[in-house]
Amino acid sequence: MIYILFVFIVVLVATLSLWILSLKRKHKRSAVLFEENYDLKAITIADIDRMEDGSGFEMYLYRLLIELGYSGVYKTLGSRDFGADVVFTDREGVRNVIQAKRYSTEYPVGISAVQEVFSCMRYYKAKKAIVITSSHFTESCETLAGINFVKLIDRTDLIHVIEAFRDGDMIGARDIIEGEPRMILESWSEANSNTLHEVRKDYKAEKYVKKVMSK
């Protein structure tokens, strides 16, 4: 009986020790994200994935743009930002607005991000709009962005930016950020045609309205 009790105590102590060690390691890995003076070049995509919310990601991008040598960089207020999280002026002297989306990889960014960042351009007197995410974009989001010339930087692009910055390749990082957006263009004849595009109709709504108007 004493032997069994002794074994139980040893196992319990070992388990607690491993648990405490695991907590210390986790704290050490995440501490860099909460220190105000953390080394920006120490941050990887894994650190971004461990951020508790989007505010940390916005602050990272804000600092990154400053470190990359951009001018006119500032972070907007958390409320009433009108769709922009960070604003900066690129190498051509053009103001850009950025919406940052720190999502996990299983949750792609939808069209609302494009709608919000595009609609706030005039408020900030910007000529370019960018959405940056730690995840990916839905097909509809990519389509809307392509039509409105909104630059999308997904997880793969973000990793390339981070790696270039960590390697000291500032020009390479800026080239990715300032690269031309994927554009979905109409042909010249379509763009100048008076024929309107066919709109996907809500036939239930049409049926309802016809029924009401026929009374």
Side-chain angles (χ1 to χ4, degrees):
M1 182 68 181
I2 296 176
Y3 175 76
I4 295 174
L5 181 61
F6 174 77
V7 171
F8 173 76
I9 293 173
V10 170
V11 172
L12 181 62
V13 171
T15 302
L16 287 173
S17 298
L18 289 173
W19 179 67
I20 293 171
L21 181 61
S22 175
L23 286 178
K24 286 183 177 180
R25 287 177 177 175
K26 183 178 180 181
H27 174 72
K28 185 177 181 180
R29 288 197 304 267
S30 60
V32 68
L33 301 176
F34 300 101
E35 296 175 1
E36 292 183 1
N37 60 341
Y38 65 80
D39 181 7
L40 202 66
K41 287 192 174 182
I43 301 298
T44 65
I45 192 67
D47 294 311
I48 291 173
D49 288 338
R50 286 195 294 270
M51 290 178 178
E52 293 184 354
D53 53 39
S55 61
F57 186 41
E58 293 169 15
M59 183 61 71
Y60 169 78
L61 293 176
Y62 171 53
R63 287 189 56 192
L64 177 64
L65 292 169
I66 293 174
E67 290 286 342
L68 288 175
Y70 286 115
S71 62
V73 183
Y74 65 89
K75 184 179 177 299
T76 63
L77 294 173
S79 59
R80 293 181 61 81
D81 60 18
F82 297 98
D85 298 311
V86 184
V87 179
F88 76 99
T89 301
D90 63 27
R91 288 173 290 182
E92 296 181 352
V94 176
R95 173 172 281 185
N96 290 243
V97 285
I98 294 177
Q99 182 163 125
K101 293 293 185 183
R102 196 213 66 81
Y103 285 5
S104 57
T105 54
E106 61 265 28
Y107 295 105
V109 177
I111 62 173
S112 61
V114 173
Q115 292 170 333
E116 291 171 12
V117 77
F118 182 78
S119 65
C120 79
M121 288 174 65
R122 292 187 65 182
Y123 177 81
Y124 289 101
K125 295 180 172 59
K127 294 182 179 179
K128 293 182 180 180
I130 306 173
V131 181
I132 303 179
T133 183
S134 56
S135 182
H136 305 284
F137 298 99
T138 63
E139 184 178 349
S140 57
C141 180
E142 291 182 351
T143 299
L144 189 63
I147 292 172
N148 290 286
F149 304 161
V150 173
K151 169 82 173 179
L152 299 182
I153 296 179
D154 64 8
R155 184 180 183 86
T156 301
D157 297 324
L158 178 60
I159 290 173
H160 290 158
V161 171
I162 293 171
E163 290 177 346
F165 171 68
R166 282 162 58 89
D167 291 339
D169 183 8
M170 304 303 181
I171 294 177
R174 291 196 294 255
D175 286 345
I176 297 172
I177 294 172
E178 297 179 45
E180 288 295 319
R182 172 178 173 265
M183 299 181 182
I184 300 176
L185 298 171
E186 298 175 319
S187 68
W188 184 253
S189 60
E190 288 176 325
N192 290 279
S193 172
N194 291 324
T195 304
L196 298 177
H197 290 294
E198 183 66 25
V199 178
R200 294 180 63 185
K201 299 179 180 180
D202 184 340
Y203 291 104
K204 288 184 178 180
E206 283 193 355
K207 184 177 180 180
Y208 168 75
V209 171
K210 288 178 180 179
K211 181 179 179 180
V212 171
M213 293 180 68
S214 64
K215 292 182 179 180

